């Protein structure tokens, strides 16, 4: 019988890493059989929770009319902050973020109480009475980062990173430029919303199915909130329908409320929020405001720079400190800055607490220097690419402002290859000719590079564990601490294990992430999923392989160092062989351990958080992109005609998955910089763009008409897993080229050497505003 969805059995000649393999759940995704938290069959007696949200951006909570809510149909219980037997806190770093508001209302949309009802819709209807049930005294609110910065309101003290003598170098520079700019935040917009399903277990235990990137953190926060020990709480996640950072820390409030309700009522409780409530409750990518001064010479070399980076953190710290630290460490991007002073301010506002998002501050830091270099080039009348090339890191200029040496610099050969393959110079001439004869439609072109540091910038998080089980039939199960959110982590880890044991990929299966299997794990974040968990799984597999090799050497009468595992068998140098399944069966009879744990820590990292100095990154991932856009100067609409991306993933574990990650990151970053506009009411603090009808993520129609993605074929110089490099976050910086190509098109309508002020996201309104600023009469008539 034909089974088209079955994984293929691979021949002995086929390698298991460095080749394209389909995502391990691809056949389940397309058939609709992939199981997410909301697909788990509900246990008998399951109740549903909904959250009552603050109607004020800032105020003092006076009372909640709980009796009113309890009278609503289907309501079983109403829970408030006072019901937590443990700590009413879900802040990942500082204890400054209550699960349910207790005394102070900090933003419009903050959870204040939870309704538990027999039906989800009944729970939501009762929770919607929050506007009536909550009595509060309104207080003045700070709604923008600039307001908070002016008032000196921060979630953590300011950070400062300085190298050289920037003040003196600025004063002596041949040319100086000062500017202000801002980039908006970005909603993660995972397709599967926030959800937790808590099921009480025997003897005061709790199982929580949670859509989260950080099961161990959820386990710890749940234990703290319940006043329990961690071993009583089990958190499990088979897969997420997207995360992008939004489910690293901010799945906690939903997990904690579901857990509290389940333990108090001794019944299963599910909390799945509506998309509007998800927008209103959770945070997103930090928006940044910038103020800079830069000094440069006649050739465009940066002599000195000083910059304020002001991030909108929202009402609590969440992960804002490491986000800002990474932004400061990525301001240099691919460029040598001899004298630089960076000042990071984490502004505290009465809005949702912003959090991790793909890139984790790196894009916000690197974007600033790209905008600065573009402005320098335009004022000098040079092609911005030329100015970028002149400022690239080179030998002798290879130490970052935070003290790490750039030892793996491939930005020059990578960009040279992209310039050639994209026909950059010929297209630049063609676009100039096109614009000279096209009064309404204008084209723009830009090339931007990427240098992105890989590792958590909190050193102790760079660790991972794994378990590998070999069963007596020769099949293998691997469990690791990473979470699968569509990026293909389980596929890559399975490939690594299959390669180590010489097996076809179909013999290896990855199971759900589970805190009862791998303890004390780090979040699947910072692009470290494959690096950490792949190495841990490799370690476990090699331990098993070593035990099996000792037995195989006896059976085949061959030294261990002459054995080769491959093609589902073990081969001796003499030509004799034994099937892997037969070897495993004999090992079991000989009482040889057929399972093992694995552990990995990233070597060589050190970081002084106070001085912002050290080696926070194991290596750098590089890339570059060329984008060509078309702008309608009458409507402000823009379209990407062609995008060429060349990205460094080292020696790829799975080229198909990596190319998919580059493509996805490019489009997501393009959305951040062009269409995804977050708007808050200037007086009430209400988020006005809280649904797909008003918040515009990219669609298939926004894809570049001609999209060319290639991988740069250079193995990682560091001993990463099979010399590969991380691919999750770095390519999100590639669509800087889209924003700057739009700016290039706008500049073609103005006088020579003009430097349009184009805000981001570059919506049609932003494009028209920039056009009007450089040529007010351009669209008249």
């Amino acid at each position: 019988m034909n089974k088209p969805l079955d994984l293929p059995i691979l021949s002995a000649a086929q390698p298991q890493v460095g080749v394209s393999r389909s995502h391990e759940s691809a056949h389940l995704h397309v058939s609709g059989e992939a199981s997410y938290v909301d697909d788990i069959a509900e246990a008998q007696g399951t109740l549903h929770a909904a959250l009552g949200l603050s109607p004020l951006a800032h105020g003092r909570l006076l009372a909640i009319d709980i009796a009113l809510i309890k009278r609503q149909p289907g309501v079983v219980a109403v829970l408030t902050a006072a019901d937590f037997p443990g700590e009413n806190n879900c802040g990942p770093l500082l204890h400054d973020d209550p699960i349910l508001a207790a005394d102070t209302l900090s933003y419009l949309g903050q959870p204040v109480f939870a309704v538990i009802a027999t039906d989800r819709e009944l729970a939501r209807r009762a929770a919607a009475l929050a506007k009536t049930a909550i009595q509060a005294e309104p207080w003045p609110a700070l709604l923008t980062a600039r307001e908070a910065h002016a008032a000196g309101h921060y979630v953590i003290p300011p950070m400062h990173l300085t190298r050289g003598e920037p003040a003196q170098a600025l004063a002596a520079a041949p040319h100086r430029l000062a500017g202000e700019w801002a980039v908006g935040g970005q909603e993660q917009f995972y397709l599967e919303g926030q959800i937790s399903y808590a099921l009480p277990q025997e003897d005061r235990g709790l199982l929580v199915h949670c859509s989260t990137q950080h099961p161990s953190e959820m386990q710890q926060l749940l234990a703290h909130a319940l006043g329990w020990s961690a071993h009583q709480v089990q958190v499990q996640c088979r897969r997420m329908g997207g995360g992008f950072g939004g489910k690293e820390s901010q799945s906690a409030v939903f997990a904690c409320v579901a857990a509290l309700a389940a333990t108090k009522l001794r019944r299963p409780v599910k909390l799945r929020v509506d998309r509007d409530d998800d927008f209103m409750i959770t945070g997103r990518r930090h928006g940044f405001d910038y103020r800079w001064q830069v000094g440069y010479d006649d050739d465009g070399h940066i002599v000195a720079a000083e910059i304020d980076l002001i991030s909108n953190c929202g009402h609590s710290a969440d992960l804002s400190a490491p986000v800002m630290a990474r932004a400061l460490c990525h301001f240099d991007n691919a460029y040598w800055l001899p004298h630089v002073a960076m000042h990071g301010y984490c502004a505290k506002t009465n809005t949702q607490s912003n959090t991790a998002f793909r890139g984790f501050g790196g894009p916000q830091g690197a974007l600033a220097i790209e905008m600065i270099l573009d402005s320098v080039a335009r004022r000098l009348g040079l092609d911005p690419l030329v100015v970028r090339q002149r400022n690239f890191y080179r030998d002798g200029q290879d130490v970052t402002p935070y003290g790490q040496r750039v030892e793996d610099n491939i930005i020059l050969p990578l960009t040279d290859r992209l310039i050639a393959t994209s026909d950059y110079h010929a297209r630049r001439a063609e676009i100039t000719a096109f614009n000279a004869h096209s009064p309404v439609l204008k084209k723009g072109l830009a090339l931007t590079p990427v240098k992105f540091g890989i590792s958590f910038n909190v050193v102790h998080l760079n660790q991972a564990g794994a378990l590998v089980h070999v069963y007596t039939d020769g099949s293998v199960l691997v469990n690791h601490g990473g979470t699968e959110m569509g990026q293909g982590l389980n596929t890559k880890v399975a490939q690594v294990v299959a390669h180590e044991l010489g097996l076809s990929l179909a013999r290896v299966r990855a199971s759900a992430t589970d805190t009862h299997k791998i303890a004390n794990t780090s979040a699947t974040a910072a692009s470290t999923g494959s690096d950490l968990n792949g190495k841990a799984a490799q370690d476990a597999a090699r331990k098993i392989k070593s035990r099996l090799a000792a037995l195989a050497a006896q059976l085949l009468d061959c030294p261990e160092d002459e054995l080769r595992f491959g093609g589902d068998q073990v081969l001796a140098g003499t030509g004799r062989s034994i099937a892997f399944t037969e070897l495993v069966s004999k090992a079991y009879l000989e009482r040889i351990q057929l399972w093992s744990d694995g552990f990995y820590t990233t070597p060589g990292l050190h970081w002084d958080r106070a001085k912002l100095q050290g080696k926070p990154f194991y290596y750098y991932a590089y890339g570059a992109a060329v984008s060509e856009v078309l702008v309608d100067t009458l409507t402000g609409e823009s379209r990407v005609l062609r995008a060429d991306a060349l990205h460094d993933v080292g020696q790829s574990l799975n080229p198909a998955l990596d190319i998919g990650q580059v493509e996805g990151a490019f489009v997501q970053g393009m959305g951040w910089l062009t269409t995804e506009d977050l708007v808050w009411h200037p007086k009430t603090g209400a988020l006005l763009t809280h649904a797909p009808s008003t918040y515009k993520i990219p669609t298939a129609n926004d894809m570049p008409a001609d999209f060319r993605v290639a991988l740069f074929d250079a193995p990682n110089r560091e001993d990463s897993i099979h010399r590969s490099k991380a691919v999750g976050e770095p390519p999100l910086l590639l669509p800087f080229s889209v924003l700057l190509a739009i700016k290039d098109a706008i500049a073609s309508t103005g006088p020579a050497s003009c430097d349009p002020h184009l805000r981001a996201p570059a919506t049609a309104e932003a494009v028209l505003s920039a056009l009007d600023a450089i040529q007010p009469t351009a669209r008249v008539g």
Side-chain angles (χ1 to χ4, degrees):
M1 183 173 65
N2 185 26
K3 295 182 179 180
L5 296 181
D6 287 348
L7 289 171
I9 301 298
L10 305 176
S11 70
Q14 290 179 296
Q16 302 306 317
V17 296
V19 292
S20 294
R21 295 284 179 255
S22 61
H23 191 288
E24 51 100 23
S25 294
H27 61 294
L28 302 176
H29 291 149
V30 298
S31 65
E33 296 177 272
S35 179
Y36 298 87
V37 174
D38 206 31
D39 297 317
I40 297 171
E42 292 181 4
Q44 185 175 2
T46 293
L47 300 173
H48 295 263
L51 297 170
L53 309 182
S54 168
L56 298 177
H58 198 204
R60 182 161 65 97
L61 180 61
L62 300 175
I64 305 171
D65 190 348
I66 293 176
L68 169 65
I69 303 165
K70 282 186 174 180
R71 290 197 299 269
Q72 304 309 306
V75 174
V76 174
V78 179
L79 304 177
T80 67
D83 288 297
F84 282 100
E87 187 178 10
N88 177 35
N89 173 68
C90 59
L93 299 179
L94 302 180
H95 298 273
D96 63 344
D97 196 352
I99 301 166
L100 297 176
D103 302 310
T104 302
L105 302 178
S106 299
Y107 68 98
L108 196 155
Q110 182 178 16
V112 179
F113 62 85
V115 177
I116 317 301
T118 56
D119 175 85
R120 180 173 177 269
E121 286 306 311
L122 293 177
R124 291 189 64 227
R125 289 183 183 183
L129 294 173
K131 292 181 180 180
T132 304
I134 294 174
Q135 299 175 36
E137 174 189 347
W139 291 343
L142 292 171
L143 300 177
T144 70
R146 284 180 176 261
E147 291 174 347
H149 179 55
H153 282 243
Y154 306 116
V155 296
I156 58 166
M159 301 179 182
H160 304 283
L161 175 54
T162 301
R163 174 168 64 188
E165 300 294 338
Q168 294 90 320
L170 276 169
H175 305 282
R176 291 180 63 178
L177 173 65
E180 295 186 7
W181 197 64
V183 63
Q186 184 181 21
E187 170 64 31
Q188 288 91 354
F189 216 102
Y190 24 70
L191 293 184
E192 177 201 30
Q194 298 278 6
I195 183 171
S196 285
Y197 186 24
L199 298 99
Q201 305 293 293
E202 66 177 14
D203 194 24
R204 287 170 55 81
L206 184 69
L207 169 62
V208 180
H209 296 282
C210 183
S211 186
T212 180
Q213 296 171 238
H214 202 343
S216 286
E217 183 173 80
M218 297 306 105
Q219 179 192 36
Q220 293 293 333
L221 290 172
L222 290 171
H224 291 160
L226 298 174
W228 287 6
S229 298
H231 71 264
Q232 294 174 265
V233 180
Q234 178 182 7
V235 177
Q236 193 175 98
C237 178
R238 173 60 185 93
R239 61 171 61 84
M240 287 166 278
F244 309 115
K247 294 176 180 176
E248 181 175 346
S249 64
Q250 299 218 346
S251 46
V253 62
F254 311 101
C256 288
V257 168
L260 173 65
T263 54
K264 286 187 73 72
L265 301 173
R266 296 299 302 164
R267 290 174 65 178
V269 176
K270 181 188 289 186
L271 174 50
R272 173 169 64 87
V273 290
D274 182 78
R275 179 68 67 178
D276 292 83
D277 287 348
D278 199 328
F279 264 85
M280 296 299 291
I281 295 168
T282 63
R284 43 201 60 86
R285 185 187 300 281
H286 294 67
F288 269 59
D289 285 270
Y290 310 94
R291 297 172 181 170
W292 66 66
Q293 297 182 72
V294 62
Y296 56 97
D297 64 19
D298 293 341
D299 294 322
H301 294 108
I302 300 299
V303 175
E306 183 167 13
I307 185 168
D308 293 342
L309 298 94
I310 308 163
S311 66
N312 185 346
C313 300
H315 75 99
S316 68
D318 196 82
L319 296 170
S320 294
V323 165
M324 179 56 76
R326 187 172 278 270
L328 295 172
C329 289
H330 282 76
F331 173 65
D332 63 323
N333 196 19
Y335 309 110
W336 163 248
L337 305 176
H339 301 274
V340 62
M342 294 173 274
H343 313 287
Y345 301 97
C346 295
K348 182 175 183 177
T349 60
N350 295 115
T351 59
Q352 296 86 355
S353 188
N354 289 321
T355 188
F357 195 131
R358 196 175 194 172
F360 203 78
Q364 294 97 312
L367 183 56
I369 192 64
E370 294 299 338
M371 298 302 294
I372 289 170
L373 287 174
D374 191 84
S375 291
V376 167
R378 294 188 184 284
R379 280 167 165 75
L380 292 173
L382 298 172
D383 184 335
L385 172 58
V386 172
V387 172
R388 289 188 169 87
Q389 290 173 312
R390 289 174 179 174
N391 283 283
F392 280 159
Y393 276 110
R394 286 178 170 81
D395 292 341
Q397 300 175 336
D398 56 0
V399 179
T400 66
Y402 47 90
Q404 178 164 341
R405 188 169 296 279
V406 183
E407 298 175 315
D408 58 356
N409 188 7
I410 57 171
I411 197 65
L412 283 169
L414 188 149
T415 51
D416 284 347
R417 184 185 300 182
L418 182 63
I419 290 167
T421 58
S422 67
D423 297 319
Y424 177 88
H425 293 296
R427 289 166 64 197
R428 169 62 72 192
E430 291 169 2
I431 286 171
T432 299
F434 174 89
N435 288 339
H437 297 92
S438 178
V440 174
L441 299 178
K442 299 292 184 179
K443 289 184 178 181
L445 188 71
L447 185 153
T448 57
V450 175
K451 176 182 71 66
F452 196 94
I454 302 299
S455 291
F456 286 100
N457 53 2
V458 178
V459 173
H460 73 265
L461 297 179
N462 295 284
Q463 59 176 295
L467 288 173
V468 173
H469 293 180
V470 177
Y471 296 100
T472 54
D473 66 351
S475 63
V476 180
L477 184 73
V478 57
N479 186 272
H480 56 88
T483 54
E484 176 64 56
M485 62 193 92
Q487 81 278 38
L489 174 59
N490 283 343
T491 308
K492 288 185 175 181
V493 172
Q495 286 179 270
V496 168
V497 172
H499 177 83
E500 289 301 322
L501 298 178
L503 300 177
S504 51
L505 185 58
R507 285 181 175 265
V508 182
R509 183 183 183 95
S511 59
T513 312
D514 191 330
T515 57
H516 275 22
K517 293 182 180 177
I518 307 296
N520 310 318
T521 60
S522 296
T524 306
S527 303
T528 61
S530 296
D531 281 6
L532 296 178
N533 296 286
K535 276 285 194 179
Q538 183 186 59
D539 180 46
R542 283 180 171 176
K543 290 176 182 176
I544 299 170
K545 184 178 181 179
S546 177
R547 298 175 197 140
L548 292 174
L551 177 60
Q554 295 177 24
L555 297 173
L556 299 175
D557 191 22
C558 173
E560 288 185 39
D561 60 4
E562 293 184 13
L563 294 173
R564 184 173 67 85
F565 284 66
D568 297 323
Q569 55 187 331
V570 180
L571 300 96
T574 60
R576 298 177 62 194
S577 66
I578 184 172
F580 184 82
T581 301
E582 182 181 353
L583 178 62
V584 167
S585 180
K586 290 182 180 296
Y588 174 71
L589 295 177
E590 294 294 330
R591 297 183 295 179
I592 293 173
Q593 184 179 339
L594 291 172
W595 62 270
S596 186
D597 64 308
F599 187 69
Y600 176 73
T601 61
T602 309
L605 303 179
H606 56 93
W607 182 243
D608 187 325
R609 285 191 288 177
K611 296 179 181 179
L612 298 179
Q613 292 291 307
K615 183 184 178 183
F617 307 122
Y618 188 33
Y619 60 83
Y620 295 99
Y622 298 86
V626 175
S627 292
E628 180 180 340
V629 303
L630 184 69
V631 173
D632 187 328
T633 60
L634 296 182
T635 65
E637 294 174 287
S638 61
R639 186 167 77 243
V640 182
L641 300 177
R642 176 177 166 183
D644 296 64
L646 180 59
H647 197 71
D648 162 37
V649 297
Q651 194 164 279
S652 175
L653 290 173
N654 188 319
L657 291 181
D658 287 345
I659 287 174
Q661 284 287 287
V662 175
E663 291 173 340
F666 188 97
V667 174
Q668 189 171 52
M670 185 178 73
W672 170 45
L673 296 173
T674 59
T675 64
E676 299 184 42
D677 198 10
L678 290 161
V679 180
W680 281 266
H681 192 286
K683 294 183 179 179
T684 67
L687 179 62
L688 302 179
T689 50
H690 56 83
S693 58
T694 50
Y695 185 79
K696 299 300 183 184
I697 64 171
T699 68
N701 291 333
D702 298 302
M703 290 282 288
D706 185 353
F707 198 10
R708 309 182 188 191
V709 175
L711 303 179
F712 191 74
D713 51 350
N716 194 343
R717 297 187 189 181
E718 298 296 339
D719 183 24
S720 60
I721 185 68
H722 289 283
R723 301 287 175 171
S724 63
K725 285 189 178 183
V727 70
E729 294 174 302
L732 191 131
L733 284 66
L734 295 174
F736 289 179
S737 56
V738 173
L739 177 67
L740 289 165
I742 294 172
K743 183 182 175 185
D744 186 58
I746 294 169
S748 71
T749 69
S753 301
C754 73
D755 182 25
H757 185 85
L758 176 63
R759 66 180 186 268
T763 60
E765 295 86 352
V767 169
L768 291 178
S769 177
L771 285 164
D772 286 342
I774 62 170
Q775 198 172 23
T777 61
R779 294 184 293 110
V780 175

